[in-house]
Amino acid sequence: MAEQVKWYERAGACGDVVCSTRVRLARNLKQYPFPAYANGRQKEEIEQKVKDAMLSGNSILSREFCFLPLEELSDEAAVSLVERHLVSPAYISDRKGKGVLLSQDESVSIMVNEEDHLRIQVLREGLSLKEAAELADRIDTLLGETLQFAFDPEFGYLTQCPTNLGTGMRASLMLHLPALTESGAMARIAGNLTKLGLTLRGTYGEGSQITGALYQLSNQITLGLSENEAIVNLSSIASQLIEEERKARHDLCETIPFQDKVDRAAGVLKSAKMLSTSEFMDLVSYLRLGLSAGLLTGTTQEALNALTIHVQPATLMASAGKALDQTQRDILRAQVTRQACAPIHDAKE
């Protein structure tokens, strides 16, 4: 059987700026305390109920999902889930009593016993907020037929953190904003977004660093807004950011100094014998921009997205099937990158 194509290996709308879309729903079971207050037995019961709801013979999704108990995963496999944006970094810090339901193409992950009993997460390539929200809603409805979710007529869905009350929905976009970063505009933009009920976070979510000019744009308000209103608001702001980034790119890519940076980045990635994660992320950012601006040719945004996932430290070791020290990882990362970037060349050549 052919290997399932992953969601990040497909093309998406506005893929030059929007790498991915994520919609996440927080849900809790009515008859149990929140995870922070649940004991081991209760967490086991919650896990079993969710598994039964998703994987039972009557579930239309049963053939599309597998269950990964976090306690049984190696450290590398667990961290790789974070690197592929399937779980949050905090989720794997204590893996006892936790597990993930994962679709074959990795576009849907359901974290059990995270901050809430369930975190239903849908990932899509490019700008796909409406489609991701619709799929998350279908899964939520399916699970709701079996599970009783904690819901209050006044406050909506009840969540452990009050900031998630209401719809329990967080929608976010992974944006590649190298031109706005280069121009120093991001501080101003971040401040303006806060006033609009949105927030910019690091590449791996709250508390993480920004690498390769990749930012997570997400809604902050879940109470008092419908899911559709939150999606429309995020889409509108994203459209403005996309337009602003594209204009900044046009101006930036007209300059010889920046064209030189793009060509140098391509040269290093095609020839380096060792590459650290941070160096790779910085250099591949120039490749993404060079490709979208027509300065480079020979590969696709989807290929660069897939490469970025595959060369992350834990994912690299999981693919190699063995533990590697930092030097070994840097050597292997450079080897994988050289092969992937070999066809890339200056579009004017």
Side-chain angles (χ1 to χ4, degrees), residues 5 38 44 70 102 189 222 276 312 337:
V5 174
E44 288 178 4
L70 289 198
L102 186 62
I189 290 171
T222 61
S276 67
Q312 296 304 311
T337 301

Side-chain angles (χ1 to χ4, degrees), residues 29 32 42-50 113 117:
L29 303 191
Y32 291 95
Q42 289 171 322
K43 288 183 177 180
E44 288 178 4
E45 291 180 5
I46 291 164
E47 181 180 284
Q48 192 59 52
K49 285 179 180 291
V50 176
N113 290 322
H117 295 152

Side-chain angles (χ1 to χ4, degrees), residues 62-248:
S62 60
R63 289 176 295 179
E64 300 177 24
F65 283 79
C66 64
F67 182 74
L68 303 177
L70 289 198
E71 291 181 74
E72 297 179 12
L73 298 182
S74 65
D75 290 342
E76 292 81 11
V79 176
S80 178
L81 292 175
V82 176
E83 294 173 349
R84 283 139 59 202
H85 302 280
L86 301 174
V87 303
S88 62
Y91 187 55
I92 65 167
S93 59
D94 176 11
R95 307 209 292 268
K96 188 173 179 59
K98 298 178 179 179
V100 181
L101 285 153
L102 186 62
S103 65
Q104 293 179 26
D105 68 351
E106 300 187 358
S107 65
V108 181
S109 65
I110 301 174
M111 291 171 272
V112 183
N113 290 322
E114 209 240 22
E115 183 178 81
D116 296 289
H117 295 152
L118 285 87
R119 288 287 177 91
I120 302 167
Q121 176 178 271
V122 175
L123 290 159
R124 297 291 293 262
E125 63 281 1
L127 182 59
S128 310
L129 282 165
K130 184 174 182 292
E131 296 82 359
E134 288 175 348
L135 179 54
D137 184 63
R138 287 200 298 272
I139 295 172
D140 180 40
T141 300
L142 177 68
L143 290 172
E145 293 174 357
T146 305
L147 304 172
Q148 288 186 308
F149 293 137
F151 184 86
D152 181 87
E154 181 179 358
F155 296 109
Y157 288 101
L158 302 181
T159 55
Q160 183 163 295
C161 181
T163 59
N164 290 320
L165 279 172
T167 62
M169 186 192 78
R170 288 293 174 98
S172 65
L173 299 171
M174 182 71 75
L175 303 176
H176 183 224
L177 305 174
L180 291 174
T181 301
E182 189 95 5
S183 69
M186 291 310 299
R188 168 185 61 81
I189 290 171
N192 291 338
L193 289 172
T194 300
K195 299 173 187 176
L196 297 170
L198 301 173
T199 184
L200 273 179
R201 292 192 170 111
T203 308
Y204 291 96
E206 188 172 2
S208 65
Q209 297 297 311
I210 294 159
T211 59
L214 293 172
Y215 300 80
Q216 280 194 24
L217 173 68
S218 61
N219 67 302
Q220 282 185 304
I221 301 171
T222 61
L223 187 61
L225 282 179
S226 69
E227 293 178 1
N228 184 61
E229 287 171 331
I231 292 294
V232 169
N233 184 45
L234 181 57
S235 296
S236 175
I237 300 301
S239 295
Q240 295 176 43
L241 269 177
I242 291 168
E243 183 179 351
E244 195 170 346
E245 169 66 20
R246 285 174 174 168
K247 183 180 183 303

